[in-house]
């Protein structure tokens, strides 16, 4: 989608993104989604499955894996520490 927005091939966009930022595009997007999820977790009225959906994940299990990879804690562990 981003590559199309700028009128370039996706592989080129991804390569240029990494060259400019030093980060893989997909990792960057995942980090931004997890950062937003952490904000949502401050509101105890929003359940974790809903937070996964709000941050662009249709599958809670996948969201949980990505969250743990980035933060070192599962979403439940992270929320329990708040």
């Amino acid at each position: 989608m981003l590559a199309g927005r700028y009128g370039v091939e996706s592989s080129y966009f991804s390569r240029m993104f990494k060259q400019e930022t030093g980060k893989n595009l997909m990792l960057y997007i995942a980090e931004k989604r997890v950062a937003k999820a952490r904000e949502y977790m401050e509101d105890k009225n929003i359940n974790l499955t809903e937070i996964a959906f709000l941050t662009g994940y249709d599958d809670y299990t996948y969201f949980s894996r990505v969250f743990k990879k980035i933060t070192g804690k599962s979403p439940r562990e992270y929320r329990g520490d708040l």
Side-chain angles (χ1 to χ4, degrees):
M1 179 180 79
L2 290 170
R5 182 175 183 184
Y6 294 103
V8 296
E9 292 292 324
S10 59
S11 60
Y12 175 78
F13 185 85
S14 188
R15 193 169 50 252
M16 289 296 105
F17 186 89
K18 184 166 185 168
Q19 183 178 327
E20 292 296 318
T21 65
K23 284 192 176 184
N24 173 292
L25 177 59
M26 295 309 292
L27 177 60
Y28 177 82
I29 292 169
E31 288 173 343
K32 292 297 182 184
R33 286 177 166 180
V34 167
K36 190 64 177 175
R38 291 165 85 169
E39 289 177 27
Y40 283 130
M41 285 181 188
E42 293 176 16
D43 183 346
K44 301 284 186 181
N45 294 317
I46 306 174
N47 73 47
L48 294 174
T49 302
E50 187 175 355
I51 290 171
F53 179 74
L54 289 170
T55 55
Y57 294 95
D58 294 331
D59 177 2
Y60 177 79
T61 303
Y62 181 66
F63 164 73
S64 183
R65 276 198 316 262
V66 171
F67 191 94
K68 187 166 187 170
K69 180 179 179 183
I70 291 172
T71 66
K73 295 182 178 184
S74 73
R76 292 188 204 296
E77 290 170 330
Y78 182 85
R79 184 175 248 179
D81 290 344
L82 293 179

